[in-house]
Amino acid sequence: MVKKFTWIIWGLSASCFGAPALAAIVTSIGTNGIDALRLQKAPYNLSGRKIAIGQVEIGRPGKFGWDKAVSKNTVISLAGVFLRNRPAKSNSGVDPHAYNVAGVMVSRDKALPGIAPGARLYSSAVGSTKNMGQPEECLSAQHIAMQNSGDVRVINFSFGEPLTRDPRPEATLDGNALLTLCIDWSSRVHDVVYAIAGNQGKGGIPIPTDNFNAINVAFSSRKQNIFNKVDVSNLAAANEGVATRLAGKEFNIDGRPSISLVAPGSNIPLVNPDGKVNKVTGTSFAAPHVVGTVALLQEFGDKQLRTKQPNWSIASRRHEVMKAVLLNSADKIQDTGNGLRLGMSRTLIDKQNRDWLTSLAYSDPKIPLDPQMGAGHLNAFRAYQQFSPGQSSPSAAVPAIGWDYRTLDAGASVDYTIAKPLVQGSFVAVTLAWDRLVELEDKNQNKLFDVGEDFRDRGLNNLDLYLVKADASNNIAGAVCSSISPVDSVEHIFCPVPATGNYKIRVQFRQKVNQSVQPFALAWWGVSSK
């Protein structure tokens, strides 16, 4: 997240660009970015149509016909604008930064289209931070989550709170700030994906990046015109240099990585409220790439449900499913053309120019995600490929690419046997996602968060993930690959297949902390022999 004066001084007149030059720089949603433009065209024709999405920030985008700031600009259409949990006042709280963020998601400009221009965007402004804090921010998020008759699929957070403003004594990133608890509660209760702009720079705004149930997004910059490098403005890993001294202040205190995905966020050209083109930089503009992608996937999923396609259920709308799908389909290491690296389109490198194969996340089963790269770089088209086969059940052999959503009893495990042999030397990606259980301490029993109320953290059940040979017993000692973090709400495997043969994925409910039945989402991607 960059400071407001930075958002403004990057302004650049649209007349500075000729058509070819403008087309050349529109890469954040093209093939050099997240490859979402392909999904907008035939045969996919996805635009996020009728999918409700949300935005919460300090300010809000201007609405045409309501705010003078956009009286000559119809690029962005908004379904609703609010001040916290009430309708917004005309010409009040309008912010160019919020407008730019909205543009990433729903811009209808022909030269600079948003990822999901057909989506219905509801936006709430929290208001001045002088008099407002985490309770009002939670109130705003709850209000947006309940729009569209309670059917909002994903909400963007391109702002956060500094620990210096947190009222807790000696506050740290322990997951217990009110806004963080609110995000995890709302994710589960409202079934909403929250895309959170990752922490950026010393003295940043890390709350609520210590959440468990949302998707935290870092931002990439271009190298040779491809978004493939974690930008230097993102914070480094927790064991490097100054970051060590910031542990607990800018990083989660229990070692959990705070980044889930990387998305484009450097020099992104967007339309300003006055119609001019502005180049913007920061995690603020990476997070809405995730939101737009979710809208496209949800439109596709709803089409499948509406036409009663086999292997589709309303589980496709679950926030855990979206999280597992997006993380599992992320780009890590560029495929050489033989498909053994799952057709990945780029090699993502961190600030020290290291790739996934040299990361601790690759070598240590207790570290599911890389502190800088998360699961890799967002790729909307690969997410579509991951999502489109539909839901698979462990009751029968499953295809090499698929996903599932179901529950598991404490102490039990479930196996997904892959139907065809996996190819030696090919990679397998598997992602498991589930929620921390946060409950509302509802004083007035109205089932809503009200200012003055709080949340109760009931902790995180511990699930583990394994890739094992198909004829393996329940003993996981001989697992080919594993992800066994004791503290994360995500497990993630990315490993090569040692020998061509039959394999299965095992999900194990290792330790009960709260409830004895745990819902989870699973996504997997392998290469089967023909």
Side-chain angles (χ1 to χ4, degrees), residues 498-512:
T500 298
N502 294 309
Y503 293 86
K504 59 187 177 184
I505 298 159
R506 177 168 296 160
V507 178
Q508 188 163 34
F509 193 157
R510 171 73 60 191
Q511 180 186 12
K512 181 177 85 72

Side-chain angles (χ1 to χ4, degrees), residues 216 218 230 257-262 327 330-332 348 356 359 361-362 367-377 492:
N216 291 341
V230 177
S258 61
I259 295 300
S260 310
L261 279 174
V262 180
L327 269 60
D331 282 327
K332 293 182 179 68
L348 179 65
W356 181 269
S359 70
Y362 180 68
I367 302 176
L369 303 177
D370 182 83
Q372 292 188 45
M373 297 184 285
H377 199 284
H492 181 69

Side-chain angles (χ1 to χ4, degrees), residues 21-89:
L22 186 58
I25 63 169
V26 183
T27 56
S28 82
I29 68 170
T31 53
N32 290 348
I34 67 168
D35 205 9
L37 280 177
R38 194 190 319 194
L39 294 174
Q40 294 183 4
K41 299 172 183 175
Y44 313 103
N45 300 315
L46 298 174
S47 68
R49 193 175 295 105
K50 295 184 179 180
I51 300 300
I53 64 177
Q55 175 187 24
V56 179
E57 292 195 44
I58 302 303
R60 63 170 179 85
K63 182 176 182 179
F64 182 76
W66 188 248
D67 299 302
K68 291 180 180 178
V70 291
S71 59
K72 298 179 181 179
N73 186 353
T74 60
V75 163
I76 292 175
S77 176
L78 298 169
V81 288
F82 306 94
L83 175 63
R84 294 183 292 282
N85 58 348
R86 296 180 180 178
K89 294 180 180 179

